[in-house]
Amino acid sequence: MIMRFNTTDYLAQSVEDAIQRNISLAAYNTFRFAYRAEYFAVADSIASLKALLAWAKEFKQPVTMIGGGSNLLIAADVSGLVIINRLTGINVREQGGNLVGLTVAAGENWHQLVAFTVTQGWFGIENLALIPGTVGAAPVQNIGAYGVEIKDVLVRVQVINALSGDVYWVNAQDCGLAYRDSYFKGKWKDTLFITAVELSLKKQAALLLTYGGLSERVKGEPSLKAVFDTVCEVRREKLPDPSELANAGSFFKNPIISHAQHAQLKARFPSLVSFPFEKGIKLAAGWLIDQAGWKGKQYQGVGVYEKQALVLVNYSTQSADALLELEAKIKHSVATLYGVELEREPVQLPSPVQADVPNMETQG
Ligand SMILES: Cc1cc2nc3c(=O)[nH]c(=O)nc-3n(C[C@H](O)[C@H](O)[C@H](O)COP(=O)(O)OP(=O)(O)OC[C@H]3O[C@@H](n4cnc5c(N)ncnc54)[C@H](O)[C@@H]3O)c2cc1C
């Protein structure tokens, strides 16, 4: 049985009682790989989280936080304490004028939050509908879809420092948010955990339909609800539902190359799919993998999804070995054909990344 504790239970219950040993993580990652956590607990309040982090510090155990497990590649048993984030609560503040502010606890479900904002008539995250996982993990890789990223609406994040137990706010512009990346995926990994996010949404229409053919797909007059429904519809058509076919969404980031390299590739492959991106050109990794002949291919219980080559799926295996081999094969053929290095999007556990957390002031 998984024990949860909230603030009240926490007073009556010792941390040790809330921590289980040697628990399978199969239900906590959408690839469904069945590796185990040495220690395991669910946190549903800041108090319980603080107590768990203090325990880990006292017993010198590394800490890993998991939300929905939809951007994870667990490839071995995880030593130390795995904490499942189930902090809940949404607080809404009218900000005057066109703006509305939301403070949302990290363990809330992202898609349910999007659906809630759409029913309220608030604009800003409707293009990010149906992205699995928790609100707290959304800034970790700066989730994005259909031309919108969470950084477009993120004001600040509340974090807890695993070493000191301090809880404070960090402004969004200080979090290193970039294309599918942030300091939470790098130098702050496993040391600063997000406990809440603050978003700023708009009350008046501000729809973005210029990406992914949304404008052609929206039926009738574009409205907030119509865009939300269309995004859900398109995603259901082309992405596998993790509850039916295990996967972690896009397995590779879209590579960003220089204009010069792009010109050379375009001359060799006129149908190359690419988009201007900041100072370079972003290539569609799915196109590269598809053209390299991988779409729909299966390999020892795993495979490349038949409708979207960017998505690797797990049909039947409990270990990550075959997936890692398939990844290496795909990377090799794309590098050989196009001279482009693919970079993995999901986070691997356990991870060797070292934390490097600057001193920050406690802000309540
Ligand atoms: C079908 C499918 C479609 C997807 N589509 C998209 C998409 O369109 N765009 C997109 O950007 N992503 C997409 N993803 C990836 C994934 O849904 C997102 O990255 C999501 O934000 C992950 O949330 P999670 O709670 O499942 O994170 P997890 O997988 O649990 O964790 C991911 C990483 O964040 C860390 N982490 C988790 N919670 C916290 C926290 N509170 N504080 C600090 N670190 C934390 C974990 O340790 C881990 O390193 C998709 C995935 C699937 C399966």
Side-chain angles (χ1 to χ4, degrees):
M1 188 190 81
I2 294 165
M3 294 185 68
R4 287 162 173 249
F5 57 4
N6 56 32
T7 323
T8 328
D9 294 340
Y10 161 64
L11 297 174
Q13 184 188 21
S14 76
V15 183
E16 280 81 5
D17 289 340
I19 297 173
Q20 296 181 288
R21 284 199 76 147
N22 195 27
I23 294 296
S24 170
L25 294 173
Y28 298 95
N29 74 100
T30 58
F31 265 129
R32 304 279 170 241
F33 292 140
Y35 296 101
R36 306 185 86 80
E38 186 179 11
Y39 299 100
F40 176 97
V42 177
D44 62 6
S45 69
I46 299 259
S48 60
L49 192 50
K50 276 191 175 183
L52 290 167
L53 294 176
W55 176 92
K57 188 179 174 189
E58 185 181 345
F59 294 101
K60 298 191 170 38
Q61 296 295 332
V63 178
T64 304
M65 183 166 282
I66 294 182
S70 64
N71 207 31
L72 288 182
L73 171 56
I74 308 183
D77 289 344
V78 183
S79 56
L81 176 62
V82 171
I83 299 177
I84 307 297
N85 190 320
R86 292 293 177 264
L87 270 60
T88 52
I90 300 179
N91 186 26
V92 178
R93 272 181 339 284
E94 290 291 325
Q95 290 182 321
N98 188 21
L99 298 177
V100 58
L102 273 79
T103 305
V104 188
E108 290 283 349
N109 176 277
W110 174 262
H111 175 69
Q112 282 167 16
L113 173 70
V114 177
F116 167 70
T117 62
V118 169
T119 58
Q120 298 300 311
W122 300 330
F123 295 76
I125 52 176
E126 58 283 356
N127 291 27
L128 303 179
L130 225 57
I131 297 180
T134 54
V135 167
V140 173
Q141 75 151 3
N142 182 27
I143 58 166
Y146 300 100
V148 174
E149 293 178 324
I150 191 175
K151 87 172 163 54
D152 303 333
V153 296
L154 188 67
V155 179
R156 55 184 190 156
V157 296
Q158 188 193 54
V159 295
I160 186 164
N161 184 313
L163 304 175
S164 66
D166 289 340
V167 177
Y168 46 86
W169 288 93
V170 183
N171 288 330
Q173 62 264 33
D174 298 327
C175 293
L177 298 166
Y179 168 60
R180 299 299 178 274
D181 205 10
S182 78
Y183 293 154
F184 295 99
K185 228 177 166 180
K187 63 182 183 176
W188 294 348
K189 189 172 182 310
D190 300 336
T191 306
L192 286 190
F193 296 118
I194 297 172
T195 47
V197 309
E198 192 178 305
L199 307 178
S200 181
L201 303 183
K202 292 194 167 68
K203 287 188 271 185
Q204 281 156 28
L207 296 170
L208 183 67
L209 298 168
T210 43
Y211 289 79
L214 276 189
S215 54
E216 294 93 69
R217 287 289 301 256
V218 173
K219 298 177 192 91
E221 191 61 25
S223 67
L224 185 57
K225 178 75 167 56
V227 172
F228 171 82
D229 288 343
T230 305
V231 169
C232 292
E233 192 179 286
V234 173
R235 291 182 65 101
R236 284 195 182 101
E237 276 170 22
K238 70 173 196 188
L239 292 171
D241 178 347
S243 65
E244 288 163 13
L245 180 55
N247 77 94
S250 302
F251 195 82
F252 298 102
K253 295 183 183 182
N254 288 322
I256 294 151
I257 60 171
S258 67
H259 286 276
Q261 190 183 0
H262 176 252
Q264 284 173 0
L265 275 176
K266 190 81 184 165
R268 283 175 55 210
F269 305 99
S271 57
L272 183 77
V273 178
S274 58
F275 317 88
F277 182 79
E278 293 175 357
K279 289 184 183 148
I281 301 283
K282 196 192 261 184
L283 300 181
W287 186 91
L288 300 174
I289 298 165
D290 186 357
Q291 295 296 304
W294 285 103
K295 198 176 194 176
K297 286 272 159 62
Q298 296 197 17
Y299 176 78
Q300 297 184 4
V302 298
V304 180
Y305 189 51
E306 63 202 6
K307 294 185 199 162
Q308 169 54 275
L310 200 47
V311 178
L312 302 192
V313 295
N314 174 19
Y315 294 103
S316 58
T317 165
Q318 300 207 322
S319 111
D321 295 352
L323 194 81
L324 291 169
E325 284 171 27
L326 178 62
E327 174 190 28
K329 286 172 188 292
I330 293 171
K331 279 185 163 178
H332 179 73
S333 65
V334 168
T336 308
L337 265 171
Y338 307 103
V340 171
E341 292 292 326
L342 289 180
E343 194 186 330
R344 184 196 292 158
E345 187 181 296
V347 178
Q348 184 164 335
L349 294 183
S351 145
V353 177
Q354 290 293 310
D356 169 22
V357 183
N359 286 330
M360 288 181 184
E361 278 186 24
T362 303
Q363 301 166 14

